[in-house]
Amino acid sequence: MIDPSDNGSSSLAESGTAVFPLDTTDRRILSILGKNARLSARAIAREMNVSAGQVIERMKRLEQSGVIRGYRVEVNHELAGFGIAAFASIQIEIGQEPEAVLAAAMAIPEIEVSHWTTGTAQLLLTIRVSDYAQLHRLMMGPLRQLPGSLAMSVSVGMAAKRRIGGQFAFTWQDNGECTDE
């Protein structure tokens, strides 16, 4: 069953998780859903030229295994009034628990994605705001108050391209074949 409260986050502890084996049929289903998550199993089956029952069973298996975490809406940020994308790199003092810092960052509504990273800055945030005044307030308040925050660098996005499905898009080449490997 899909947990509607799951925000697509992944824990640092999950890194030891075994990879779920995906065959070409699974990949094809995921590719189709990545382009339009509202499609019915019957519509996916028609596109793949397989039975709806096969698609339903595969989708259930992908959901139960955790490969499919949920079905989400794709929002046009500009039209919704949040057209400014910014990226904050924040240096965090040694000894801070990554999960606690990531959780604190995700409690800030303007944060879309938070990553614990290597290098000089341990925290990389994707931010969405309506205007530069909101970005300024965010930088001067909540971002500085993150646990262990030492230094911050913020860049504003000027142009972007992304895969359909955004964070949950797939990077494999889908050749449209539906046969099992």
Side-chain angles (χ1 to χ4, degrees), residues 61-111:
R61 187 175 62 101
L62 291 167
E63 290 169 3
Q64 291 170 347
S65 69
V67 171
I68 293 178
R69 290 183 166 177
Y71 301 88
R72 290 162 179 81
V73 64
E74 187 79 20
V75 174
N76 181 322
H77 292 98
E78 289 79 19
L79 292 178
F82 294 93
I84 297 176
F87 308 92
S89 297
I90 302 176
Q91 186 178 3
I92 304 294
E93 60 189 34
I94 295 172
Q96 290 292 322
E97 282 296 317
E99 290 298 331
V101 176
L102 291 169
M106 292 310 297
I108 301 169
E110 294 88 351
I111 306 299

Side-chain angles (χ1 to χ4, degrees), residues 18-94:
V19 174
F20 187 80
L22 299 173
D23 62 20
T24 55
T25 301
D26 295 329
R27 286 188 173 109
R28 182 77 173 133
I29 290 169
L30 292 171
S31 292
I32 293 168
L33 285 171
K35 292 174 187 155
N36 184 355
R38 294 184 65 178
L39 286 178
S40 68
R42 179 171 287 164
I44 294 168
R46 266 195 307 271
E47 186 170 333
M48 294 176 57
N49 199 26
V50 298
S51 74
Q54 180 182 7
V55 171
I56 289 167
E57 286 304 312
R58 292 294 186 115
M59 288 175 64
K60 280 183 190 175
R61 187 175 62 101
L62 291 167
E63 290 169 3
Q64 291 170 347
S65 69
V67 171
I68 293 178
R69 290 183 166 177
Y71 301 88
R72 290 162 179 81
V73 64
E74 187 79 20
V75 174
N76 181 322
H77 292 98
E78 289 79 19
L79 292 178
F82 294 93
I84 297 176
F87 308 92
S89 297
I90 302 176
Q91 186 178 3
I92 304 294
E93 60 189 34
I94 295 172

Side-chain angles (χ1 to χ4, degrees), residues 110-180:
E110 294 88 351
I111 306 299
E112 259 187 352
V113 181
S114 63
H115 294 277
W116 193 261
T117 65
T118 62
T120 306
Q122 291 70 43
L123 190 61
L124 176 63
L125 305 174
T126 302
I127 301 166
R128 279 286 175 179
V129 292
S130 58
D131 56 35
Y132 293 106
Q134 183 182 11
L135 180 59
H136 183 261
R137 286 189 300 274
L138 186 66
M139 290 170 59
M140 302 318 277
L143 294 183
R144 285 186 175 187
Q145 295 167 8
L146 286 170
S149 178
L150 294 174
M152 175 181 4
S153 171
V154 177
S155 300
V156 174
M158 301 302 291
K161 284 279 188 195
R162 58 183 247 156
R163 294 181 190 284
I164 294 173
Q167 174 183 357
F168 305 98
F170 311 102
T171 56
W172 58 71
Q173 292 296 316
D174 178 17
N175 62 8
E177 296 177 14
C178 297
T179 58
D180 289 339

